[in-house]
Amino acid sequence: MRRHISWLVLAATTTVVVSFVIPLCLLVQTLAEDRAMAAADQEARNVAILVTGGLVDNERVDEVVRGLDAPGGAETAVLTVDGEVLGNGDLDPDDPEVQRALGGDAFEVVDDSGGRVLLPVVNDQGTAVVRTSVEPEVLHAGVTSAWLGIVGLGLLLLALAGATAAWQGRRLAEPLREVAGTAHELRGGNLAARARVRGTAETKELARALNGLAERIRELLAAERATVGDLSHRLRTPVTALRLDAEAVKDQALARRLGDHIAVLQRSIDAIVREARRPVRTDLRSVGDFSATVRDRTAFWQVLADDQDRPTEIAIPEAALTVPVAPDDLADLVDCLIDNVFAHTPEQTAFAVRLAEEDGEVRLVVSDDGPGPATRAGDRLGSTGLGLDIARRTAVGAGGDLKFGPGEAGGTTVEVTLPLAAD
């Protein structure tokens, strides 16, 4: 937009300046020629008066005419009645211009060789001719410097117009750029971003509309989470009743199966509650240290692994690996993956957690030696379970991916890939 405004103003200014500069330069040239020819005409008339008086002889006239010619100025010559040439320059009686003057015609001539004024002087003895010549340098004296001044002034006007156009373009475009930047931030998840209301009336209205939209999105998101949270809390009561009823079943095998199903249902509800309670601030763009988060969460789960006699293999690099995910979301993601192992494999089943950086990406692999992915709850419905769905949504939302499947040596492997955060 700024570039278009600048080019438009420069094009309009250039058209106006050129429209004035060219005629002005021609006018200066014409004025210089008129000035030089007026001076030459005056000098020719003065000499003509002298010759008409007849009070002095040719020698005296020659001396006076030569004295009139200033160095670098006009040159005057007189062709007397008897054919003698007085003053500066040569007058050829056979010259067409001289013949025209001898015929009684007074005139001026301006061409590439300069300017000339020819005056006939008629007396009793006959007709004499006075010619005053002006060289091209004298005819155009001062024109070049005047042209340079005019062109310089035109360029100065163009420069001022360009600077003004750039300033105006920046004044109009910067508020729009700010509004666009706010829209990009909102698209990236920064619900706290707001556009400054400034600029033209249209830009202000656009900024107000965008800010209103951001507020509405924030309200709808909060209302949605409140609804989901309320629904999750409503589910806790019947689940608790189910647990109590299952404990009252006398058939121990049936009670154990019911307890397992209720435990899965309880974990799913807990995941929903945790997701619903996640504050709006975690929707803001943030970064987290994947290495530190995995190290912290594996230390938390290690206590339970030791209690269940589970062999563990932990491989975490010492260097910080920053990814575009909030620390709380990273912790939830790691917990979902490790909880998946404890929920679907028997005790004493080994598992491994490996974190590494490869080709600008961070790869987290959680594998176990359990019975494999076919026993995972929800596979019959084409899903990997609610916990892994949450982990997948977190990874995909950050520009990564989650892969779930059997391991190379049996068991189950879950691989999460996240891009490194930009500096």
Side-chain angles (χ1 to χ4, degrees), residues 135-332:
E135 296 294 328
E137 294 79 9
V138 178
L139 195 65
H140 300 141
V143 173
T144 302
S145 58
W147 281 1
L148 291 176
I150 294 171
V151 172
L153 180 60
L155 294 177
L156 178 61
L157 291 176
L158 289 178
L160 291 176
T164 303
W167 175 73
Q168 286 289 352
R170 183 168 56 252
R171 178 174 172 270
L172 294 175
E174 286 302 324
L176 290 176
R177 288 180 179 272
E178 290 182 4
V179 173
T182 302
H184 287 308
E185 289 190 41
L186 291 172
R187 183 190 64 180
N190 185 6
L191 298 183
R194 295 294 182 272
R196 286 199 300 166
V197 181
R198 70 186 190 95
T200 62
E202 293 79 5
T203 305
K204 291 179 180 179
E205 181 64 23
L206 179 61
R208 293 191 191 97
L210 183 62
N211 292 339
L213 177 62
E215 290 292 340
R216 184 58 177 163
I217 292 174
R218 192 183 185 99
E219 292 172 2
L220 292 175
L221 183 60
E224 178 187 1
R225 287 181 177 167
T227 301
V228 175
D230 181 65
L231 177 62
S232 303
H233 282 291
R234 290 175 182 269
L235 292 174
R236 286 183 180 275
T237 300
V239 170
T240 303
L242 284 175
R243 186 184 298 279
L244 294 176
D245 290 343
E247 292 176 355
V249 175
K250 294 181 180 181
D251 187 340
Q252 296 298 320
L254 178 58
R256 189 179 308 107
R257 288 199 305 273
L258 289 175
D260 291 341
H261 293 323
I262 293 172
V264 173
L265 179 60
Q266 184 67 58
R267 281 195 295 271
S268 299
I269 293 175
D270 289 341
I272 293 175
V273 173
R274 183 169 56 250
E275 181 70 9
R277 286 178 173 177
R278 189 158 58 96
V280 177
R281 64 177 174 79
T282 55
D283 283 329
L284 309 182
R285 286 188 299 176
S286 182
V287 295
D289 184 355
F290 212 176
S291 298
T293 301
V294 174
R295 191 177 297 111
D296 177 70
R297 301 318 299 165
T298 52
F300 172 83
W301 288 97
Q302 186 65 50
V303 177
L304 182 58
D306 294 340
D307 184 64
Q308 296 183 0
D309 295 328
R310 291 177 179 269
T312 58
E313 179 186 346
I314 310 297
I316 305 173
E318 293 295 330
L321 298 176
T322 305
V323 293
V325 182
D328 291 344
D329 289 342
L330 279 178
D332 289 344

Side-chain angles (χ1 to χ4, degrees), residues 109-131:
V109 177
V110 177
D111 54 22
D112 294 338
S113 61
R116 296 173 296 281
V117 177
L118 288 92
L119 296 178
V121 180
V122 181
N123 52 27
D124 297 338
Q125 288 81 22
T127 302
V129 176
V130 177
R131 186 188 68 182

